[in-house]
Amino acid sequence: MIVPQSIVFNGDLGSGKSTVSVEIAERLGMRRVSVGDLYRQMAQERQMTALQLNLHAELDQAVDGYVDQLQRDIAASGECLVMDSRLAWHFFTDALKVHMITEPGEAARRVLLRPSGPAEQYTSLEEAKARLLERSESERNRFIIRYGVDKAQLRNYDLICDTTRAGAAEVIEHIVAAYEGRLCPEVLREAPPLLLLDPARVYPTEDIVTLRGRWDAAPADDVAAAGDEPLEPLRIGYTGEHFFVVDGHRRLSAALRDGCQLVPARLAAEVDEPVVGGMSAIDYFAAQVRPSMIHDWSAAHGIDLPLPEPALLGGGTVLAGEPGVGA
């Protein structure tokens, strides 16, 4: 990436974007603007929860109108700054656009533990998880209707970072490295987004029995020898909910065995985009991934990949641990 330019953050609720954006602004000596803080203040002034304000904004365009104009004015000013906003990527053309994600249960746990004002209060983990999802979907629907853009599409962004297990310090180092052109510049320049994924949340698309025959010490040695250098990016597909390997199982396995929290990847296809032979990412995942495959991969690496909805999986309703077709 070419600097100087702004960095704009979008992300899942509870993904840590506020913490990360504050630290990056301080480190790079930039002003930080948080639209989330502004919305929370507006909710408190109206004696609403954040979710209620989102639902109200679906009917009252004045709520978004004020904030939108503020972001347009800042983008037009040319000031290089850090912007924490779920829609800044739409208003800023010359910026590093960062989207932060995390596992929904972990996001709910973080939100439940942090100090809350009258606009955000939850009584249980399940309530927090459900209301965060409802709030996110409300925003997504509003943005689609009002602006014609879908915040869930990964190709809106330059950098996707999964913060489920990675600490704030590691996430900050990766984002700054990307901003300064030291992290996978060819992906950011030629085929964004660059994905920084938790390897424990990426699904295999080949049986581990088949893969074991190809494993040797080289991938693990490559990880150990790389030091601070990033791995060669994997090729990854995305169903809209789950990430899966298109190419790079050995590198993913090596990263898991070496305890890596984040692995770099290229986005091969998302949702309805074709992966191979005209097959969409959703269809490819359903055709390739089986419960037994997920179970065996998880057992081999000491992780716990959850089973996706049965409708997404090929091979019927095979239970985890049972032999699937071709296993």
Side-chain angles (χ1 to χ4, degrees), residues 282 285-286 308-314 316-317:
I282 291 175
F285 184 81
E309 291 296 324
L312 279 178
L313 294 175
T317 56

Side-chain angles (χ1 to χ4, degrees), residues 120-274:
E120 291 181 287
Q121 293 183 345
Y122 311 105
T123 58
S124 69
L125 185 66
E126 286 306 312
E127 182 193 0
K129 186 175 178 179
R131 287 175 61 184
L132 290 180
L133 176 61
E134 185 179 1
R135 181 175 158 193
S136 180
E137 285 302 305
S138 171
E139 285 183 343
R140 183 185 181 190
N141 293 334
R142 188 167 89 246
F143 294 167
I144 290 172
I145 294 170
R146 192 158 296 169
Y147 309 100
V149 296
D150 186 352
K151 71 171 189 173
Q153 290 183 347
L154 301 186
R155 294 199 191 278
N156 291 323
Y157 312 103
D158 298 306
L159 180 63
I160 314 294
C161 189
D162 188 340
T163 69
T164 301
R165 293 189 305 143
E170 182 177 4
V171 171
I172 289 166
E173 288 301 323
H174 279 82
I175 294 173
V176 171
Y179 180 72
E180 295 178 345
R182 296 182 284 107
L183 178 63
C184 300
E186 70 288 348
V187 178
L188 288 166
R189 182 176 59 251
E190 300 168 7
L194 170 65
L195 310 177
L196 296 174
L197 301 180
D198 182 341
R201 295 220 299 143
V202 178
Y203 287 81
T205 55
E206 290 189 58
D207 284 306
I208 198 167
V209 174
T210 303
L211 291 166
R212 277 197 181 113
R214 295 185 245 152
W215 284 353
D216 54 34
D221 289 346
D222 289 345
V223 174
D228 293 333
E229 295 296 320
L231 290 170
E232 176 67 21
L234 314 174
R235 289 186 68 237
I236 294 291
Y238 181 56
T239 67
E241 183 176 3
H242 305 294
F243 292 97
F244 60 88
V245 180
V246 175
D247 176 60
H249 283 87
R250 294 203 302 177
R251 279 166 282 157
L252 178 63
S253 177
L256 284 166
R257 285 181 280 143
D258 201 58
C260 295
Q261 306 295 308
L262 292 171
V263 291
R266 299 172 183 264
L267 181 63
E270 65 175 315
V271 191
D272 293 328
E273 294 176 354

Side-chain angles (χ1 to χ4, degrees), residues 78-107:
E79 178 186 0
C80 292
L81 78 167
V82 172
M83 193 83 180
D84 180 350
S85 161
R86 292 189 184 88
L87 202 56
W89 57 268
H90 178 58
F91 296 113
F92 282 70
T93 55
D94 183 25
L96 178 68
K97 302 176 182 182
V98 181
H99 180 58
M100 295 173 60
I101 61 175
T102 197
E103 190 276 323
E106 173 62 16

Side-chain angles (χ1 to χ4, degrees), residues 60-73:
D60 183 1
Q61 295 193 20
V63 174
D64 285 334
Y66 169 73
V67 177
D68 292 349
Q69 191 57 52
L70 172 66
Q71 294 184 86
R72 290 190 184 97
D73 292 344

